[in-house]
Amino acid sequence: MSYGTHLALASLRLHGTGIERVVLIGVEGPDDTLKLPLSADTLLAELAVVARDQGFEDLTGVTRRVLTRLHQKPARGRSLMHRGREVTLGRYDAQLAIAAALGRRSTQQMLPLALRDADTGNYDLLATMVLAVREQLGEFRAMPLAMDVASGQSPHRRATVEAQAKDSVFGDALNFPFPMIGDGLGLTDLGEAFRAPAQSDVPTLLVSGTLDGRTPQANAEALLPAFRNAIYLRVRGASHDDELWLGHPKIASDISDFLAGRHVRDAEVDVQPPAMAQEKLDLLLQTLGIGQEVVLGVLGMLTTLLLVAIALLRRWRRSVRIRNAVSRPS
């Protein structure tokens, strides 16, 4: 998955004659290390449809308003997940945080609520997201950094990314701190041969999610013409998260059948769309991994116990009244 598919494509190029079958989930092509900024705008619009069905205002419009206000005047928010730490955040902070949140379902689910609160002047949830991104960007492990720098980008890809950044609501935040961080490190670049378009006759199953903000479905679709024995499984509603391979029984079934050499066709399947948090309590339950079904089950059990307790109390009171009546002198 993800960067693993990037390596798998390199292996196909070098050792394709010794590979029987390949499954690529969440595809990152040879020249996809830098993400296209407008893909984030497209995903935001798609999430806006999901959020609107759950009672939220247009995410794209709210995002633009929040970013405009933060550009005019930075705001302050307090993150309860960081022991009440208060932070000042500006437009670029928000662009980084929102772009990062688009990738996975777990963060997509908090985005509409965070933006709705920020639109009314409460930046606490957005501050939580900003601090999480700052922590992530505060340190880099040497090996992943070197690998991404080595993969690099073609001149055409870089020019496309820079051009799209001018039109994207997120600017260049989607890729930050790349490609700039790689320019001055002096690390090995694998060159244009590594980034050349991939092609193969090896039977390949490609799996993509329509709400994947890290490896968008366009990555896989760009490979299809040059993969003559490719099968494409499109998972509607899946992000760059577990549901991309666990969200529907057919995904595992198709992977198993494909690897076993059984016939598999191009297909589309649906997984449940992300359930957007409506209140901060929802976020706490999601963080704890407690689903709505569990909450309803617990509430049902507590209600049953309460009704039983009330019935027992009434029975006890009735028995007390009877005993008192029997023992009362005539």
Side-chain angles (χ1 to χ4, degrees):
M1 181 177 178
S2 197
Y3 183 77
T5 68
H6 190 68
L7 299 182
L9 290 168
S11 298
L12 274 176
R13 194 193 304 275
L14 295 172
H15 310 292
T17 56
I19 298 175
E20 293 185 13
R21 290 176 176 269
V22 178
V23 177
L24 304 176
I25 304 176
V27 179
E28 181 180 320
D31 200 18
D32 290 340
T33 300
L34 278 188
K35 296 166 180 58
L36 297 176
L38 289 179
S39 68
D41 295 64
T42 299
L43 179 53
L44 182 65
E46 292 173 352
L47 282 174
V49 175
V50 178
R52 185 173 62 243
D53 291 341
Q54 299 180 35
F56 287 92
E57 192 179 341
D58 174 46
L59 287 189
T60 300
V62 174
T63 298
R64 291 186 181 278
R65 286 201 301 271
V66 169
L67 292 178
T68 297
R69 290 170 186 162
L70 289 175
H71 181 58
Q72 295 168 347
K73 182 180 180 180
R76 294 187 68 80
R78 189 181 300 276
S79 171
L80 296 179
M81 295 185 183
H82 295 82
R83 299 181 180 179
R85 179 180 170 187
E86 193 172 22
V87 60
T88 300
L89 55 149
R91 180 176 66 172
Y92 199 63
D93 284 308
Q95 287 175 313
L96 287 169
I98 298 169
L102 291 174
R104 297 181 180 276
R105 172 167 294 212
S106 54
T107 46
Q108 290 173 353
Q109 290 173 313
M110 70 183 296
L111 187 56
L113 180 59
L115 288 170
R116 185 177 68 187
D117 283 357
D119 197 33
T120 61
N122 182 343
Y123 291 89
D124 289 350
L125 277 179
L126 194 55
T128 298
M129 296 165 60
V130 165
L131 285 174
V133 170
R134 288 185 184 180
E135 290 172 352
Q136 182 180 1
L137 294 176
E139 61 180 18
F140 286 94
R141 291 177 293 166
M143 182 173 290
L145 175 61
M147 291 190 301
D148 279 342
V149 172
S151 294
Q153 66 282 157
S154 67
H156 177 265
R157 182 74 171 191
R158 183 159 183 166
T160 301
V161 167
E162 290 174 350
Q164 287 195 11
K166 297 176 182 178
D167 297 322
S168 171
V169 69
F170 302 105
D172 65 1
L174 183 65
N175 290 296
F176 183 84
F178 294 92
M180 299 78 72
I181 194 172
D183 292 342
L185 289 178
L187 299 175
T188 299
D189 185 302
L190 294 174
E192 295 309 305
F194 176 84
R195 291 184 286 269
Q199 57 183 3
S200 178
D201 292 329
V202 175
T204 304
L205 174 62
L206 300 98
V207 183
S208 290
T210 60
L211 298 182
D212 186 339
R214 304 302 299 167
T215 52
Q217 57 186 330
N219 291 3
E221 291 165 0
L223 293 179
L224 290 175
F227 277 64
R228 288 175 283 274
N229 293 307
I231 306 296
Y232 185 34
L233 177 59
R234 187 168 174 261
V235 186
R236 289 188 294 259
S239 70
H240 198 70
D241 222 326
D242 292 352
E243 73 277 1
L244 187 53
W245 63 91
L246 298 175
H248 193 286
K250 182 174 173 56
I251 303 172
S253 174
D254 276 6
I255 292 173
S256 176
D257 287 344
F258 175 79
L259 291 176
R262 292 187 285 270
H263 182 63
V264 177
R265 296 180 178 179
D266 291 347
E268 293 188 0
V269 297
D270 292 289
V271 300
Q272 287 294 322
M276 304 305 185
Q278 300 288 334
E279 303 292 343
K280 292 183 176 65
L281 176 60
D282 296 335
L283 293 176
L284 176 61
L285 295 176
Q286 290 170 7
T287 301
L288 296 174
I290 301 174
Q292 187 178 23
E293 298 81 2
V294 175
V295 174
L296 293 175
V298 171
L299 289 175
M301 182 178 65
L302 291 175
T303 301
T304 301
L305 290 174
L306 179 60
L307 292 174
V308 170
I310 292 173
L312 291 174
L313 179 61
R314 287 176 175 173
R315 184 175 179 180
W316 175 77
R317 285 179 174 176
R318 186 166 59 250
S319 66
V320 169
R321 286 197 299 269
I322 292 173
R323 286 199 302 270
N324 290 340
V326 170
S327 61
R328 187 179 300 125
S330 301

